Structures are given as structure tokens and as C-alpha cells.
Amino acid sequence: MKLTAQRQALRDAIIAAARDPESEWEVANGNTIRYTEVRDTPQAMRTWPDAYGYTPYDRPTYERHVFLSWSVDKPMLGVSHAPWTGRRDQFVTLKRAFEILDDPTSAF
């Protein structure tokens, strides 16, 4: 299936961002790029009580991620706010995908 002009532009922009050494994005795999932000671990997570069945996250920092993938159908956005919350994926519009590509923090 041939890509529309807008989808081709998104694909080209994702590839360019992944190849640009100055870019905040990096290749995650195949057609997916990843933005990573390192943050200080909240004190509450470092001392989370084991009584609830959780293990405290005892590292001083953690990473949160934004993933952006392109496909013939729709762009896919993946967001992982913290290691203890997991990742959530959703389809986004082409307009929103370009916004996230320009400002990955807007996905948080």
C-alpha cells in the first residue's frame, strides 16, 4: 500500500529525527523512535512500604519515555511515565504525531 503525502512526510520526519545526532530522539527498533527523560525519583517511591506488596524503587533517578511509530494505518504513540507504571499505547492523528515529534514532552 502506498503512503499518502502526509504519511510519507511523517515517516521521513521520524527517520530524519532518528538520524540527526543533535536530536533528542533515538531509534528504539525498526520503525519506532524513543525520547528519554531522566528524572529524580520521588522520595515516596524510594520508601514505598512493602506492606502493599510493592518493592521500593531505590534508585536516585528513573527514566520516562515517549515512543513514536509510523505505519501505513496510523501513527502509534507509546508513553511510559515511570518504570512502576508501565507503558500505554494509543493511535494518534498525523497532526498530533508531528506535534509530539517537535515536542516529545507534550506527550506526558
Side-chain angles (χ1 to χ4, degrees), residues 34-48:
R34 174 182 58 219
Y35 166 82
T36 301
E37 185 176 279
V38 178
R39 301 188 61 153
D40 291 333
T41 302
Q43 187 61 31
M45 290 308 298
R46 297 180 78 182
T47 58
W48 193 260

Side-chain angles (χ1 to χ4, degrees), residues 6-52:
Q6 279 188 314
R7 291 187 194 290
Q8 182 67 43
L10 176 62
R11 178 182 173 270
D12 293 347
I14 287 174
I15 291 170
R19 290 183 177 162
D20 181 357
E22 301 295 318
S23 174
E24 299 173 301
W25 294 94
E26 63 182 333
V27 175
N29 65 24
N31 65 341
T32 303
I33 58 175
R34 174 182 58 219
Y35 166 82
T36 301
E37 185 176 279
V38 178
R39 301 188 61 153
D40 291 333
T41 302
Q43 187 61 31
M45 290 308 298
R46 297 180 78 182
T47 58
W48 193 260
D50 283 326
Y52 295 105

Side-chain angles (χ1 to χ4, degrees), residues 60-104:
T61 61
Y62 70 95
E63 293 180 349
R64 64 184 193 167
H65 304 280
V66 174
F67 299 87
L68 192 57
S69 302
W70 65 270
S71 70
V72 175
D73 295 333
K74 296 178 184 176
M76 173 70 76
L77 168 66
V79 178
S80 174
H81 290 275
W84 53 87
T85 62
R87 175 178 161 176
R88 287 182 274 179
D89 293 331
Q90 64 181 330
F91 290 110
V92 293
T93 65
L94 285 168
K95 179 182 177 187
R96 182 70 179 127
F98 279 111
E99 291 171 357
I100 292 165
L101 192 57
D102 289 338
D103 179 13

